[in-house]
Amino acid sequence: MSVPKQKFTAEFKQEAVRLVRTTGKSCAQIARDLGVPPHYVVRWKQQQDTQTAAGRPAFTGRGIPALSPQDEAPPNP
């Protein structure tokens, strides 16, 4: 039997990371409070840090990073 994959909204992920940063609790404690596996919160925090450092929005949806104009391929002639 397979377990259906859980999906979380960008807002849920952002709130989890915000709680880690503002409450002084660990990622594991926040994860327990929210009922998610601890490695999810760790990964979301790392993703947000990476995207913020790159000047991009975090959690753009469906696992696809937001493209900036310079990342787009030029049209083929």
Side-chain angles (χ1 to χ4, degrees), residues 18-77:
R18 186 193 67 77
L19 289 169
V20 170
R21 295 187 194 285
T22 60
T23 63
K25 293 182 180 180
S26 68
C27 290
Q29 182 60 52
I30 296 298
R32 279 191 295 273
D33 293 348
L34 296 175
V36 299
H39 66 276
Y40 282 18
V41 178
V42 171
R43 186 173 58 218
W44 297 337
K45 185 175 178 292
Q46 290 171 341
Q47 287 173 341
Q48 189 177 63
D49 291 344
T50 301
Q51 291 296 91
T52 300
R56 293 185 171 169
F59 315 124
T60 58
R62 305 192 71 207
I64 302 169
L67 291 177
S68 61
Q70 68 267 20
D71 291 338
E72 295 177 7
N76 289 330

Side-chain angles (χ1 to χ4, degrees), residues 1-27:
M1 248 183 170
S2 66
V3 177
K5 185 176 179 181
Q6 291 179 303
K7 294 182 182 181
F8 300 96
T9 65
E11 292 80 15
F12 183 86
K13 295 174 185 180
Q14 289 169 344
E15 181 64 12
V17 174
R18 186 193 67 77
L19 289 169
V20 170
R21 295 187 194 285
T22 60
T23 63
K25 293 182 180 180
S26 68
C27 290

